[in-house]
Amino acid sequence: MTSALTNKSITFLLCEVEAYTECSEGTWGEHCKNDCNEKCPDMCRFDDGLCSNTCFGYSDPPRCKKACEAGTWGLNCTKSCSKQCFNSSCDRQTGLCDQGCLGYSNPPQCNIVLKNSKSIPIQTIIIIAVSVASAALLSIVICIIVLRLKGKLCLQRRENVHQVSDPPIIPKLYSSLQNQELENNVYEEVNPEIATNL
């Protein structure tokens, strides 16, 4: 090689040359003989096999050791499991329902609605519950009011009875009998023998 300024030749000494090429998807290492980790099967680094910037079913690239939390799945756990999955639980790598379906008939996809499904939206259930509770409370309040009114009416009646009633009739009758003369009364003598046989 010659220098353009001095027209002298320059010597280079090469000790070792390593040339890397990018491996095809899913492989890494010297001559791309190693398969990528199952946590990132198509996207690992060609020099050490660690996952690039993404992990399937894990949330901590490049190591990919922290599994997705419940209810999440996919690349770096960024997707939420379907509401059609029972308990919103799904496979952390595929997103398929792993505990069955909620109102759907074809697990693990859970995308066909049950024909006999009569699922009621949660808003409807809440409205019904609040209505029933309100009706029960109103009934209790009405019963309390009616019972109090009846109690007051009973007390008023008792008070009226004591106020209106006349003095007893029997003492008047007794006093009138005392004033009558005893001469007009006829008494018969009773034979004791006849009285005991009766």
Side-chain angles (χ1 to χ4, degrees), residues 26-65:
T27 61
W28 70 277
E30 190 176 339
H31 304 293
C32 302
K33 291 181 183 177
N34 302 317
D35 290 331
C36 289
N37 186 329
E38 66 180 24
K39 299 171 186 173
C40 53
D42 298 328
M43 293 182 249
C44 66
R45 298 190 303 205
F46 70 91
D47 57 342
D48 59 7
L50 290 176
C51 296
S52 314
N53 295 326
T54 57
C55 300
F56 284 107
Y58 295 87
S59 62
D60 60 338
R63 298 280 180 219
C64 299
K65 291 188 178 185

PDB file of all heavy atoms in Angstrom, residues 26-65:
ATOM      1  N   GLY A  26     -32.989 -17.489  14.357  1.00  0.00           N
ATOM      2  CA  GLY A  26     -33.059 -18.709  15.154  1.00  0.00           C
ATOM      3  C   GLY A  26     -31.716 -19.360  15.426  1.00  0.00           C
ATOM      4  O   GLY A  26     -31.674 -20.379  16.113  1.00  0.00           O
ATOM      5  N   THR A  27     -30.608 -18.791  14.912  1.00  0.00           N
ATOM      6  CA  THR A  27     -29.281 -19.369  15.153  1.00  0.00           C
ATOM      7  C   THR A  27     -28.311 -18.306  15.630  1.00  0.00           C
ATOM      8  O   THR A  27     -28.545 -17.111  15.450  1.00  0.00           O
ATOM      9  CB  THR A  27     -28.720 -20.029  13.876  1.00  0.00           C
ATOM     10  OG1 THR A  27     -28.599 -19.039  12.860  1.00  0.00           O
ATOM     11  CG2 THR A  27     -29.609 -21.168  13.397  1.00  0.00           C
ATOM     12  N   TRP A  28     -27.182 -18.751  16.232  1.00  0.00           N
ATOM     13  CA  TRP A  28     -26.170 -17.815  16.694  1.00  0.00           C
ATOM     14  C   TRP A  28     -24.843 -18.550  16.830  1.00  0.00           C
ATOM     15  O   TRP A  28     -24.761 -19.771  16.743  1.00  0.00           O
ATOM     16  CB  TRP A  28     -26.570 -17.172  18.018  1.00  0.00           C
ATOM     17  CG  TRP A  28     -26.540 -18.121  19.195  1.00  0.00           C
ATOM     18  CD1 TRP A  28     -27.506 -18.988  19.563  1.00  0.00           C
ATOM     19  CD2 TRP A  28     -25.470 -18.288  20.112  1.00  0.00           C
ATOM     20  NE1 TRP A  28     -27.131 -19.693  20.653  1.00  0.00           N
ATOM     21  CE2 TRP A  28     -25.871 -19.278  21.030  1.00  0.00           C
ATOM     22  CE3 TRP A  28     -24.206 -17.721  20.265  1.00  0.00           C
ATOM     23  CZ2 TRP A  28     -25.077 -19.708  22.068  1.00  0.00           C
ATOM     24  CZ3 TRP A  28     -23.418 -18.143  21.316  1.00  0.00           C
ATOM     25  CH2 TRP A  28     -23.849 -19.125  22.210  1.00  0.00           C
ATOM     26  N   GLY A  29     -23.777 -17.781  17.061  1.00  0.00           N
ATOM     27  CA  GLY A  29     -22.459 -18.338  17.332  1.00  0.00           C
ATOM     28  C   GLY A  29     -21.617 -18.529  16.085  1.00  0.00           C
ATOM     29  O   GLY A  29     -21.964 -18.115  14.977  1.00  0.00           O
ATOM     30  N   GLU A  30     -20.424 -19.184  16.306  1.00  0.00           N
ATOM     31  CA  GLU A  30     -19.491 -19.440  15.215  1.00  0.00           C
ATOM     32  C   GLU A  30     -20.146 -20.353  14.192  1.00  0.00           C
ATOM     33  O   GLU A  30     -20.674 -21.406  14.511  1.00  0.00           O
ATOM     34  CB  GLU A  30     -18.237 -20.116  15.780  1.00  0.00           C
ATOM     35  CG  GLU A  30     -17.117 -20.206  14.787  1.00  0.00           C
ATOM     36  CD  GLU A  30     -15.863 -20.803  15.408  1.00  0.00           C
ATOM     37  OE1 GLU A  30     -15.709 -20.795  16.637  1.00  0.00           O
ATOM     38  OE2 GLU A  30     -15.054 -21.290  14.621  1.00  0.00           O
ATOM     39  N   HIS A  31     -20.126 -19.914  12.985  1.00  0.00           N
ATOM     40  CA  HIS A  31     -20.744 -20.599  11.857  1.00  0.00           C
ATOM     41  C   HIS A  31     -22.250 -20.828  12.061  1.00  0.00           C
ATOM     42  O   HIS A  31     -22.840 -21.697  11.426  1.00  0.00           O
ATOM     43  CB  HIS A  31     -20.044 -21.940  11.578  1.00  0.00           C
ATOM     44  CG  HIS A  31     -18.587 -21.799  11.348  1.00  0.00           C
ATOM     45  ND1 HIS A  31     -18.057 -21.169  10.249  1.00  0.00           N
ATOM     46  CD2 HIS A  31     -17.522 -22.205  12.107  1.00  0.00           C
ATOM     47  CE1 HIS A  31     -16.729 -21.193  10.324  1.00  0.00           C
ATOM     48  NE2 HIS A  31     -16.379 -21.819  11.459  1.00  0.00           N
ATOM     49  N   CYS A  32     -22.841 -20.057  13.011  1.00  0.00           N
ATOM     50  CA  CYS A  32     -24.294 -20.081  13.260  1.00  0.00           C
ATOM     51  C   CYS A  32     -24.810 -21.495  13.547  1.00  0.00           C
ATOM     52  O   CYS A  32     -25.891 -21.885  13.100  1.00  0.00           O
ATOM     53  CB  CYS A  32     -25.054 -19.469  12.080  1.00  0.00           C
ATOM     54  SG  CYS A  32     -24.553 -17.775  11.719  1.00  0.00           S
ATOM     55  N   LYS A  33     -24.041 -22.236  14.332  1.00  0.00           N
ATOM     56  CA  LYS A  33     -24.405 -23.628  14.609  1.00  0.00           C
ATOM     57  C   LYS A  33     -25.351 -23.771  15.796  1.00  0.00           C
ATOM     58  O   LYS A  33     -25.958 -24.818  15.973  1.00  0.00           O
ATOM     59  CB  LYS A  33     -23.134 -24.438  14.895  1.00  0.00           C
ATOM     60  CG  LYS A  33     -22.261 -24.623  13.682  1.00  0.00           C
ATOM     61  CD  LYS A  33     -21.045 -25.446  14.043  1.00  0.00           C
ATOM     62  CE  LYS A  33     -20.138 -25.574  12.829  1.00  0.00           C
ATOM     63  NZ  LYS A  33     -18.920 -26.286  13.135  1.00  0.00           N
ATOM     64  N   ASN A  34     -25.454 -22.756  16.634  1.00  0.00           N
ATOM     65  CA  ASN A  34     -26.285 -22.849  17.839  1.00  0.00           C
ATOM     66  C   ASN A  34     -27.681 -22.307  17.579  1.00  0.00           C
ATOM     67  O   ASN A  34     -27.854 -21.310  16.884  1.00  0.00           O
ATOM     68  CB  ASN A  34     -25.656 -22.058  18.985  1.00  0.00           C
ATOM     69  CG  ASN A  34     -24.265 -22.541  19.309  1.00  0.00           C
ATOM     70  OD1 ASN A  34     -24.001 -23.737  19.356  1.00  0.00           O
ATOM     71  ND2 ASN A  34     -23.349 -21.601  19.525  1.00  0.00           N
ATOM     72  N   ASP A  35     -28.654 -22.976  18.199  1.00  0.00           N
ATOM     73  CA  ASP A  35     -30.037 -22.505  18.102  1.00  0.00           C
ATOM     74  C   ASP A  35     -30.306 -21.478  19.193  1.00  0.00           C
ATOM     75  O   ASP A  35     -29.781 -21.576  20.301  1.00  0.00           O
ATOM     76  CB  ASP A  35     -31.022 -23.669  18.263  1.00  0.00           C
ATOM     77  CG  ASP A  35     -30.989 -24.613  17.076  1.00  0.00           C
ATOM     78  OD1 ASP A  35     -30.679 -24.167  15.961  1.00  0.00           O
ATOM     79  OD2 ASP A  35     -31.296 -25.818  17.273  1.00  0.00           O
ATOM     80  N   CYS A  36     -31.128 -20.503  18.861  1.00  0.00           N
ATOM     81  CA  CYS A  36     -31.510 -19.490  19.853  1.00  0.00           C
ATOM     82  C   CYS A  36     -32.319 -20.143  20.976  1.00  0.00           C
ATOM     83  O   CYS A  36     -32.959 -21.179  20.794  1.00  0.00           O
ATOM     84  CB  CYS A  36     -32.349 -18.393  19.203  1.00  0.00           C
ATOM     85  SG  CYS A  36     -31.416 -17.313  18.110  1.00  0.00           S
ATOM     86  N   ASN A  37     -32.306 -19.490  22.116  1.00  0.00           N
ATOM     87  CA  ASN A  37     -33.056 -19.908  23.292  1.00  0.00           C
ATOM     88  C   ASN A  37     -34.539 -19.978  22.946  1.00  0.00           C
ATOM     89  O   ASN A  37     -35.046 -19.160  22.187  1.00  0.00           O
ATOM     90  CB  ASN A  37     -32.786 -18.875  24.389  1.00  0.00           C
ATOM     91  CG  ASN A  37     -33.380 -19.237  25.702  1.00  0.00           C
ATOM     92  OD1 ASN A  37     -34.409 -19.883  25.792  1.00  0.00           O
ATOM     93  ND2 ASN A  37     -32.730 -18.795  26.759  1.00  0.00           N
ATOM     94  N   GLU A  38     -35.268 -20.900  23.557  1.00  0.00           N
ATOM     95  CA  GLU A  38     -36.704 -21.026  23.290  1.00  0.00           C
ATOM     96  C   GLU A  38     -37.487 -19.803  23.760  1.00  0.00           C
ATOM     97  O   GLU A  38     -38.602 -19.550  23.322  1.00  0.00           O
ATOM     98  CB  GLU A  38     -37.269 -22.277  23.962  1.00  0.00           C
ATOM     99  CG  GLU A  38     -37.241 -22.221  25.471  1.00  0.00           C
ATOM    100  CD  GLU A  38     -37.804 -23.468  26.131  1.00  0.00           C
ATOM    101  OE1 GLU A  38     -37.808 -24.533  25.512  1.00  0.00           O
ATOM    102  OE2 GLU A  38     -38.251 -23.347  27.271  1.00  0.00           O
ATOM    103  N   LYS A  39     -36.906 -19.014  24.638  1.00  0.00           N
ATOM    104  CA  LYS A  39     -37.568 -17.809  25.119  1.00  0.00           C
ATOM    105  C   LYS A  39     -37.579 -16.709  24.059  1.00  0.00           C
ATOM    106  O   LYS A  39     -38.359 -15.768  24.145  1.00  0.00           O
ATOM    107  CB  LYS A  39     -36.889 -17.312  26.391  1.00  0.00           C
ATOM    108  CG  LYS A  39     -36.961 -18.329  27.519  1.00  0.00           C
ATOM    109  CD  LYS A  39     -36.101 -17.931  28.683  1.00  0.00           C
ATOM    110  CE  LYS A  39     -36.084 -19.034  29.732  1.00  0.00           C
ATOM    111  NZ  LYS A  39     -35.130 -18.774  30.799  1.00  0.00           N
ATOM    112  N   CYS A  40     -36.668 -16.808  23.115  1.00  0.00           N
ATOM    113  CA  CYS A  40     -36.644 -15.862  21.991  1.00  0.00           C
ATOM    114  C   CYS A  40     -36.168 -16.643  20.761  1.00  0.00           C
ATOM    115  O   CYS A  40     -35.074 -16.429  20.273  1.00  0.00           O
ATOM    116  CB  CYS A  40     -35.742 -14.674  22.288  1.00  0.00           C
ATOM    117  SG  CYS A  40     -34.072 -15.111  22.796  1.00  0.00           S
ATOM    118  N   PRO A  41     -36.980 -17.554  20.265  1.00  0.00           N
ATOM    119  CA  PRO A  41     -36.544 -18.493  19.228  1.00  0.00           C
ATOM    120  C   PRO A  41     -36.085 -17.856  17.925  1.00  0.00           C
ATOM    121  O   PRO A  41     -35.249 -18.419  17.225  1.00  0.00           O
ATOM    122  CB  PRO A  41     -37.774 -19.369  18.998  1.00  0.00           C
ATOM    123  CG  PRO A  41     -38.921 -18.582  19.507  1.00  0.00           C
ATOM    124  CD  PRO A  41     -38.389 -17.700  20.580  1.00  0.00           C
ATOM    125  N   ASP A  42     -36.582 -16.696  17.582  1.00  0.00           N
ATOM    126  CA  ASP A  42     -36.220 -16.099  16.296  1.00  0.00           C
ATOM    127  C   ASP A  42     -35.369 -14.845  16.427  1.00  0.00           C
ATOM    128  O   ASP A  42     -34.937 -14.299  15.428  1.00  0.00           O
ATOM    129  CB  ASP A  42     -37.487 -15.742  15.504  1.00  0.00           C
ATOM    130  CG  ASP A  42     -38.305 -16.976  15.199  1.00  0.00           C
ATOM    131  OD1 ASP A  42     -37.719 -18.050  15.015  1.00  0.00           O
ATOM    132  OD2 ASP A  42     -39.544 -16.855  15.155  1.00  0.00           O
ATOM    133  N   MET A  43     -35.134 -14.366  17.638  1.00  0.00           N
ATOM    134  CA  MET A  43     -34.478 -13.064  17.773  1.00  0.00           C
ATOM    135  C   MET A  43     -33.388 -13.058  18.840  1.00  0.00           C
ATOM    136  O   MET A  43     -33.477 -12.337  19.810  1.00  0.00           O
ATOM    137  CB  MET A  43     -35.525 -12.017  18.125  1.00  0.00           C
ATOM    138  CG  MET A  43     -36.511 -11.760  17.021  1.00  0.00           C
ATOM    139  SD  MET A  43     -37.671 -10.487  17.501  1.00  0.00           S
ATOM    140  CE  MET A  43     -39.155 -11.450  17.656  1.00  0.00           C
ATOM    141  N   CYS A  44     -32.338 -13.855  18.694  1.00  0.00           N
ATOM    142  CA  CYS A  44     -31.250 -13.791  19.660  1.00  0.00           C
ATOM    143  C   CYS A  44     -30.027 -13.119  19.027  1.00  0.00           C
ATOM    144  O   CYS A  44     -29.912 -13.008  17.813  1.00  0.00           O
ATOM    145  CB  CYS A  44     -30.900 -15.176  20.174  1.00  0.00           C
ATOM    146  SG  CYS A  44     -30.216 -16.313  18.953  1.00  0.00           S
ATOM    147  N   ARG A  45     -29.135 -12.687  19.916  1.00  0.00           N
ATOM    148  CA  ARG A  45     -27.927 -12.022  19.434  1.00  0.00           C
ATOM    149  C   ARG A  45     -26.989 -13.081  18.852  1.00  0.00           C
ATOM    150  O   ARG A  45     -26.820 -14.161  19.415  1.00  0.00           O
ATOM    151  CB  ARG A  45     -27.255 -11.256  20.575  1.00  0.00           C
ATOM    152  CG  ARG A  45     -28.169 -10.182  21.115  1.00  0.00           C
ATOM    153  CD  ARG A  45     -27.512  -9.239  22.059  1.00  0.00           C
ATOM    154  NE  ARG A  45     -26.889  -9.879  23.215  1.00  0.00           N
ATOM    155  CZ  ARG A  45     -26.678  -9.276  24.368  1.00  0.00           C
ATOM    156  NH1 ARG A  45     -27.057  -8.021  24.536  1.00  0.00           N
ATOM    157  NH2 ARG A  45     -26.095  -9.893  25.366  1.00  0.00           N
ATOM    158  N   PHE A  46     -26.353 -12.754  17.743  1.00  0.00           N
ATOM    159  CA  PHE A  46     -25.531 -13.745  17.042  1.00  0.00           C
ATOM    160  C   PHE A  46     -24.242 -14.066  17.784  1.00  0.00           C
ATOM    161  O   PHE A  46     -23.653 -15.115  17.586  1.00  0.00           O
ATOM    162  CB  PHE A  46     -25.231 -13.302  15.595  1.00  0.00           C
ATOM    163  CG  PHE A  46     -24.298 -12.130  15.513  1.00  0.00           C
ATOM    164  CD1 PHE A  46     -22.934 -12.327  15.417  1.00  0.00           C
ATOM    165  CD2 PHE A  46     -24.784 -10.835  15.511  1.00  0.00           C
ATOM    166  CE1 PHE A  46     -22.078 -11.253  15.331  1.00  0.00           C
ATOM    167  CE2 PHE A  46     -23.936  -9.756  15.425  1.00  0.00           C
ATOM    168  CZ  PHE A  46     -22.571  -9.959  15.340  1.00  0.00           C
ATOM    169  N   ASP A  47     -23.760 -13.177  18.688  1.00  0.00           N
ATOM    170  CA  ASP A  47     -22.473 -13.414  19.330  1.00  0.00           C
ATOM    171  C   ASP A  47     -22.562 -14.214  20.628  1.00  0.00           C
ATOM    172  O   ASP A  47     -21.675 -14.982  20.946  1.00  0.00           O
ATOM    173  CB  ASP A  47     -21.750 -12.095  19.592  1.00  0.00           C
ATOM    174  CG  ASP A  47     -22.564 -11.141  20.428  1.00  0.00           C
ATOM    175  OD1 ASP A  47     -23.793 -11.337  20.530  1.00  0.00           O
ATOM    176  OD2 ASP A  47     -21.979 -10.198  20.974  1.00  0.00           O
ATOM    177  N   ASP A  48     -23.664 -14.059  21.427  1.00  0.00           N
ATOM    178  CA  ASP A  48     -23.733 -14.781  22.702  1.00  0.00           C
ATOM    179  C   ASP A  48     -25.033 -15.564  22.894  1.00  0.00           C
ATOM    180  O   ASP A  48     -25.216 -16.230  23.885  1.00  0.00           O
ATOM    181  CB  ASP A  48     -23.520 -13.826  23.869  1.00  0.00           C
ATOM    182  CG  ASP A  48     -24.545 -12.711  23.922  1.00  0.00           C
ATOM    183  OD1 ASP A  48     -25.514 -12.731  23.143  1.00  0.00           O
ATOM    184  OD2 ASP A  48     -24.368 -11.806  24.753  1.00  0.00           O
ATOM    185  N   GLY A  49     -25.976 -15.483  21.992  1.00  0.00           N
ATOM    186  CA  GLY A  49     -27.220 -16.247  22.068  1.00  0.00           C
ATOM    187  C   GLY A  49     -28.273 -15.664  22.986  1.00  0.00           C
ATOM    188  O   GLY A  49     -29.369 -16.210  23.091  1.00  0.00           O
ATOM    189  N   LEU A  50     -27.922 -14.568  23.666  1.00  0.00           N
ATOM    190  CA  LEU A  50     -28.939 -13.945  24.516  1.00  0.00           C
ATOM    191  C   LEU A  50     -30.002 -13.306  23.638  1.00  0.00           C
ATOM    192  O   LEU A  50     -29.755 -12.925  22.496  1.00  0.00           O
ATOM    193  CB  LEU A  50     -28.304 -12.879  25.411  1.00  0.00           C
ATOM    194  CG  LEU A  50     -27.381 -13.389  26.519  1.00  0.00           C
ATOM    195  CD1 LEU A  50     -26.743 -12.215  27.249  1.00  0.00           C
ATOM    196  CD2 LEU A  50     -28.140 -14.267  27.494  1.00  0.00           C
ATOM    197  N   CYS A  51     -31.187 -13.201  24.221  1.00  0.00           N
ATOM    198  CA  CYS A  51     -32.282 -12.592  23.467  1.00  0.00           C
ATOM    199  C   CYS A  51     -31.938 -11.140  23.169  1.00  0.00           C
ATOM    200  O   CYS A  51     -31.298 -10.467  23.963  1.00  0.00           O
ATOM    201  CB  CYS A  51     -33.577 -12.674  24.262  1.00  0.00           C
ATOM    202  SG  CYS A  51     -34.134 -14.373  24.548  1.00  0.00           S
ATOM    203  N   SER A  52     -32.395 -10.667  22.028  1.00  0.00           N
ATOM    204  CA  SER A  52     -32.149  -9.272  21.650  1.00  0.00           C
ATOM    205  C   SER A  52     -32.908  -8.376  22.604  1.00  0.00           C
ATOM    206  O   SER A  52     -32.659  -8.389  23.781  1.00  0.00           O
ATOM    207  CB  SER A  52     -32.609  -9.008  20.223  1.00  0.00           C
ATOM    208  OG  SER A  52     -32.183 -10.021  19.358  1.00  0.00           O
ATOM    209  N   ASN A  53     -33.836  -7.656  22.100  1.00  0.00           N
ATOM    210  CA  ASN A  53     -34.618  -6.738  22.926  1.00  0.00           C
ATOM    211  C   ASN A  53     -35.979  -7.299  23.277  1.00  0.00           C
ATOM    212  O   ASN A  53     -36.819  -6.587  23.801  1.00  0.00           O
ATOM    213  CB  ASN A  53     -34.790  -5.405  22.202  1.00  0.00           C
ATOM    214  CG  ASN A  53     -33.469  -4.717  22.031  1.00  0.00           C
ATOM    215  OD1 ASN A  53     -32.594  -4.828  22.885  1.00  0.00           O
ATOM    216  ND2 ASN A  53     -33.309  -4.021  20.918  1.00  0.00           N
ATOM    217  N   THR A  54     -36.224  -8.523  22.967  1.00  0.00           N
ATOM    218  CA  THR A  54     -37.544  -9.097  23.219  1.00  0.00           C
ATOM    219  C   THR A  54     -37.435 -10.490  23.806  1.00  0.00           C
ATOM    220  O   THR A  54     -36.479 -11.217  23.565  1.00  0.00           O
ATOM    221  CB  THR A  54     -38.363  -9.196  21.921  1.00  0.00           C
ATOM    222  OG1 THR A  54     -37.635  -9.975  20.980  1.00  0.00           O
ATOM    223  CG2 THR A  54     -38.658  -7.841  21.352  1.00  0.00           C
ATOM    224  N   CYS A  55     -38.434 -10.844  24.585  1.00  0.00           N
ATOM    225  CA  CYS A  55     -38.566 -12.192  25.138  1.00  0.00           C
ATOM    226  C   CYS A  55     -40.011 -12.628  24.953  1.00  0.00           C
ATOM    227  O   CYS A  55     -40.927 -11.850  25.211  1.00  0.00           O
ATOM    228  CB  CYS A  55     -38.266 -12.203  26.636  1.00  0.00           C
ATOM    229  SG  CYS A  55     -36.639 -11.673  27.128  1.00  0.00           S
ATOM    230  N   PHE A  56     -40.249 -13.850  24.553  1.00  0.00           N
ATOM    231  CA  PHE A  56     -41.601 -14.394  24.461  1.00  0.00           C
ATOM    232  C   PHE A  56     -41.970 -14.985  25.810  1.00  0.00           C
ATOM    233  O   PHE A  56     -41.361 -15.948  26.256  1.00  0.00           O
ATOM    234  CB  PHE A  56     -41.698 -15.489  23.391  1.00  0.00           C
ATOM    235  CG  PHE A  56     -41.721 -14.970  21.997  1.00  0.00           C
ATOM    236  CD1 PHE A  56     -40.620 -15.117  21.181  1.00  0.00           C
ATOM    237  CD2 PHE A  56     -42.835 -14.329  21.494  1.00  0.00           C
ATOM    238  CE1 PHE A  56     -40.630 -14.632  19.888  1.00  0.00           C
ATOM    239  CE2 PHE A  56     -42.847 -13.839  20.207  1.00  0.00           C
ATOM    240  CZ  PHE A  56     -41.738 -13.997  19.400  1.00  0.00           C
ATOM    241  N   GLY A  57     -42.948 -14.392  26.462  1.00  0.00           N
ATOM    242  CA  GLY A  57     -43.413 -14.915  27.744  1.00  0.00           C
ATOM    243  C   GLY A  57     -42.571 -14.497  28.930  1.00  0.00           C
ATOM    244  O   GLY A  57     -42.775 -14.976  30.036  1.00  0.00           O
ATOM    245  N   TYR A  58     -41.627 -13.614  28.713  1.00  0.00           N
ATOM    246  CA  TYR A  58     -40.762 -13.113  29.786  1.00  0.00           C
ATOM    247  C   TYR A  58     -40.670 -11.604  29.662  1.00  0.00           C
ATOM    248  O   TYR A  58     -40.829 -11.043  28.584  1.00  0.00           O
ATOM    249  CB  TYR A  58     -39.371 -13.750  29.706  1.00  0.00           C
ATOM    250  CG  TYR A  58     -39.426 -15.245  29.946  1.00  0.00           C
ATOM    251  CD1 TYR A  58     -39.666 -16.124  28.893  1.00  0.00           C
ATOM    252  CD2 TYR A  58     -39.259 -15.754  31.213  1.00  0.00           C
ATOM    253  CE1 TYR A  58     -39.738 -17.481  29.111  1.00  0.00           C
ATOM    254  CE2 TYR A  58     -39.315 -17.123  31.442  1.00  0.00           C
ATOM    255  CZ  TYR A  58     -39.562 -17.973  30.390  1.00  0.00           C
ATOM    256  OH  TYR A  58     -39.627 -19.333  30.610  1.00  0.00           O
ATOM    257  N   SER A  59     -40.361 -10.948  30.780  1.00  0.00           N
ATOM    258  CA  SER A  59     -40.419  -9.493  30.763  1.00  0.00           C
ATOM    259  C   SER A  59     -39.072  -8.804  30.985  1.00  0.00           C
ATOM    260  O   SER A  59     -39.036  -7.605  31.174  1.00  0.00           O
ATOM    261  CB  SER A  59     -41.400  -9.018  31.855  1.00  0.00           C
ATOM    262  OG  SER A  59     -40.945  -9.420  33.127  1.00  0.00           O
ATOM    263  N   ASP A  60     -37.967  -9.558  30.951  1.00  0.00           N
ATOM    264  CA  ASP A  60     -36.675  -8.939  31.272  1.00  0.00           C
ATOM    265  C   ASP A  60     -35.576  -9.271  30.253  1.00  0.00           C
ATOM    266  O   ASP A  60     -34.640  -9.977  30.556  1.00  0.00           O
ATOM    267  CB  ASP A  60     -36.236  -9.368  32.668  1.00  0.00           C
ATOM    268  CG  ASP A  60     -36.077 -10.873  32.785  1.00  0.00           C
ATOM    269  OD1 ASP A  60     -36.680 -11.604  31.976  1.00  0.00           O
ATOM    270  OD2 ASP A  60     -35.334 -11.324  33.669  1.00  0.00           O
ATOM    271  N   PRO A  61     -35.709  -8.752  29.005  1.00  0.00           N
ATOM    272  CA  PRO A  61     -34.651  -9.027  28.034  1.00  0.00           C
ATOM    273  C   PRO A  61     -33.334  -8.389  28.469  1.00  0.00           C
ATOM    274  O   PRO A  61     -33.374  -7.400  29.192  1.00  0.00           O
ATOM    275  CB  PRO A  61     -35.173  -8.402  26.739  1.00  0.00           C
ATOM    276  CG  PRO A  61     -36.210  -7.426  27.155  1.00  0.00           C
ATOM    277  CD  PRO A  61     -36.731  -7.871  28.480  1.00  0.00           C
ATOM    278  N   PRO A  62     -32.185  -8.906  28.147  1.00  0.00           N
ATOM    279  CA  PRO A  62     -31.925 -10.041  27.263  1.00  0.00           C
ATOM    280  C   PRO A  62     -31.880 -11.385  27.988  1.00  0.00           C
ATOM    281  O   PRO A  62     -31.816 -12.416  27.344  1.00  0.00           O
ATOM    282  CB  PRO A  62     -30.553  -9.707  26.685  1.00  0.00           C
ATOM    283  CG  PRO A  62     -29.850  -8.978  27.761  1.00  0.00           C
ATOM    284  CD  PRO A  62     -30.929  -8.211  28.473  1.00  0.00           C
ATOM    285  N   ARG A  63     -31.896 -11.417  29.315  1.00  0.00           N
ATOM    286  CA  ARG A  63     -31.783 -12.694  30.047  1.00  0.00           C
ATOM    287  C   ARG A  63     -33.039 -13.546  29.946  1.00  0.00           C
ATOM    288  O   ARG A  63     -32.973 -14.754  29.959  1.00  0.00           O
ATOM    289  CB  ARG A  63     -31.446 -12.436  31.514  1.00  0.00           C
ATOM    290  CG  ARG A  63     -30.135 -11.735  31.700  1.00  0.00           C
ATOM    291  CD  ARG A  63     -28.993 -12.698  31.605  1.00  0.00           C
ATOM    292  NE  ARG A  63     -27.734 -11.980  31.784  1.00  0.00           N
ATOM    293  CZ  ARG A  63     -26.664 -12.242  31.098  1.00  0.00           C
ATOM    294  NH1 ARG A  63     -26.655 -13.174  30.201  1.00  0.00           N
ATOM    295  NH2 ARG A  63     -25.565 -11.561  31.311  1.00  0.00           N
ATOM    296  N   CYS A  64     -34.203 -12.917  29.957  1.00  0.00           N
ATOM    297  CA  CYS A  64     -35.488 -13.612  29.833  1.00  0.00           C
ATOM    298  C   CYS A  64     -35.657 -14.679  30.918  1.00  0.00           C
ATOM    299  O   CYS A  64     -35.902 -15.847  30.631  1.00  0.00           O
ATOM    300  CB  CYS A  64     -35.658 -14.215  28.441  1.00  0.00           C
ATOM    301  SG  CYS A  64     -35.631 -12.991  27.129  1.00  0.00           S
ATOM    302  N   LYS A  65     -35.573 -14.247  32.168  1.00  0.00           N
ATOM    303  CA  LYS A  65     -35.747 -15.177  33.282  1.00  0.00           C
ATOM    304  C   LYS A  65     -36.995 -14.869  34.104  1.00  0.00           C
ATOM    305  O   LYS A  65     -37.463 -15.711  34.843  1.00  0.00           O
ATOM    306  CB  LYS A  65     -34.512 -15.136  34.190  1.00  0.00           C
ATOM    307  CG  LYS A  65     -33.291 -15.720  33.526  1.00  0.00           C
ATOM    308  CD  LYS A  65     -32.149 -15.838  34.485  1.00  0.00           C
ATOM    309  CE  LYS A  65     -30.966 -16.480  33.758  1.00  0.00           C
ATOM    310  NZ  LYS A  65     -29.853 -16.724  34.655  1.00  0.00           N
TER     311      LYS A  65
END
